[in-house]
Amino acid sequence: MTEAKFPKNFLWGGAVAAHQLEGAWQAGGKGVSVADVMTAGANKIPREITAGVIPGKNYPNHDGIDFYHHYKEDVKLFAEMGFKCFRTSIAWTRIFPQGDESEANEAGLQFYDDLFDECLKYNIEPVVTLAHFEMPYHLVEEYGGFANRKVIDFFVRFATTCFKRYKNKVKYWMTFNEIDNQSRFNNDFLMCTNSGLLLNNDSNNEAAMYQAAHYELVASALAVKEGKKINSDFMIGTMINFTPIYPATSKPADVLMAQRADQRRNWFSDVQCWGYYPANVEAYIERNDFRPDITEEDRIVLKEGTVDYIGFSYYQSMVVSADKVAPDDLSDPEDVIVSNPYVEKSDWDWEIDPVGLRYSLNALTDRYHLPLFIVENGLGAVDKVENDGSIHDPYRIAYLRAHLEEVRKAVTLDGVDLMGYTPWGCIDLVSAGTGQMSKRYGFIYVNKDDEGNGDLARSRKDSFYWYQKVIKTDGADLN
Ligand code: BG6
């Protein structure tokens, strides 16, 4: 029974984000985004967010893998693998370089016209995220990012400009990448990339997060509403980093903690799918006296702008314990994580849990009753190029195979309605978290190192041929 195939129209493909691969950070009038002020970090060394672009610092996103000039060659390789779709994002700063202009930048719009045409030439359906960690830096400096209600309008203008321009080329959209990342409200990188907040010690980061997240959710709902007016066939989804949360033991306090951590972390999609805040979040905001600016009009917008599907990334599960913090005192789920002794870890300490993906698919289906789309999943690893130029990456194949086996069970045994699967970083790109090139996810190798050396030549890894076969057999052959 598990040999059964995936549905015929299943969207096999791969995923990237503009800022991690396009490079050409100033081409065609592009403005500076938050990704352009992040330096290169390393494994366990965070990236620095600088006050503007400082000469002499290493900003890896400035050049990426120069997809801006290589996209024809790269899309051709995606077509060779048999991609049915390609998930990327639109760099907000190519369309509105500063973010608050009233007129869009034609050169930026034209670039995505050309890119989408190139995909469609091979019958590859573009799947587009509007904001993937790429807010114009000017909106951060001048307005404080999504701490400011005005930024809602700037985002909606950007979204509607894209919807109008690409209404006949793009059907599948997502508003904000991993909007729920900001539940980790003490993490500088996630707060800046998600909502353009620059944290400082004097502020209540948690209260600031609830406010910014609310404005972002309103912006997302307004975009959905406007998008549907522009093309009623659009499918517009949320995009969350779904992390199933397990209790460390069967102790009732641990079980309650797992539920609490889920409530603190996974409520963003509740608002986007249901159109209202879950009772536990309303009660939590009230109990903590956060007093965010949430108007009655906002609540109507949230109701009217619910999403059509759930796009989600899946990398790992999370285990929590009530040993250090009592469930009622939990604010940041990060504080109660413990290591899972039953799973392996990647070289970057990301826990590898394929069964957790089947669990997630079922959990999301039970909670929302909406179609799902796995828009990110994958293993960041160091690859070695052999003398003959070949790249053997059995670890990546093993990772993806194990996950796809669980996905196939969810689809064929559990009845999950899954639209597609786009593994992350289908071509090597700059890591979001560390800024490294050496943390590679791709089926396609790109010759560039962490210092920026290399001729950017593309070559096929073993996993390239493996994934090509998976797609060709509609997922029946995962060997
Ligand atoms: C997801 C992001 O969280 O994880 C991607 O949407 C990111 O942008 C991916 O690249 C993998 O994370 P990292 O830090 O290994 O690049």
Side-chain angles (χ1 to χ4, degrees), residues 16-17 19-20 47 87 132-133 177-178 181 189-190 239 241 313 315 348 350 375-380 424-425 429-436 439-441:
V16 299
H19 70 105
Q20 288 172 259
R47 306 179 72 173
R87 174 183 176 230
H132 190 134
F133 306 167
N177 187 64
E178 294 184 339
N181 272 349
F189 171 78
L190 295 176
M239 196 306 195
N241 170 222
S313 60
Y315 291 96
W348 276 261
W350 290 28
V375 295
E376 285 186 35
N377 172 229
L379 177 73
W424 175 251
L429 38 63
V430 174
S431 156
T434 67
Q436 293 170 292
K439 189 181 186 188
R440 297 175 185 273
Y441 288 85

Side-chain angles (χ1 to χ4, degrees), residues 173-310:
W173 300 88
M174 282 164 271
T175 50
F176 291 96
N177 187 64
E178 294 184 339
I179 189 165
D180 56 327
N181 272 349
Q182 55 199 313
S183 59
R184 296 162 67 183
F185 53 84
N186 284 317
N187 182 307
D188 295 354
F189 171 78
L190 295 176
M191 295 310 292
C192 183
T193 51
N194 251 213
S195 44
L197 292 196
L198 296 176
L199 303 181
N200 68 60
N201 295 333
D202 305 332
S203 59
N204 179 336
N205 295 344
E206 192 175 17
M209 180 275 285
Y210 276 100
Q211 181 64 78
H214 174 70
Y215 289 152
E216 239 181 304
L217 289 164
V218 171
S220 173
L222 282 169
V224 173
K225 277 181 66 177
E226 291 306 310
K228 293 291 182 169
K229 286 186 214 155
I230 293 163
N231 184 343
S232 57
D233 287 338
F234 278 169
M235 290 282 287
I236 310 178
T238 174
M239 196 306 195
I240 50 171
N241 170 222
F242 191 70
T243 306
I245 303 177
Y246 308 151
T249 71
S250 53
K251 258 193 296 186
D254 283 346
V255 176
L256 185 63
M257 180 58 98
Q259 188 178 53
R260 277 284 176 276
D262 181 76
Q263 289 174 337
R264 290 290 82 79
R265 189 188 158 95
N266 292 326
W267 58 271
F268 298 79
S269 42
D270 292 347
V271 180
Q272 290 181 302
C273 296
W274 300 337
Y276 56 87
Y277 281 84
N280 72 77
V281 174
E282 298 273 13
Y284 185 76
I285 289 174
E286 176 87 27
R287 171 152 72 86
N288 286 284
D289 206 18
F290 290 150
R291 298 179 196 216
D293 163 36
I294 302 178
T295 66
E296 280 316 306
E297 201 186 336
D298 291 346
R299 291 190 189 273
I300 294 168
V301 167
L302 293 178
K303 262 233 131 47
E304 292 174 345
T306 55
V307 294
D308 299 313
Y309 71 95
I310 298 162

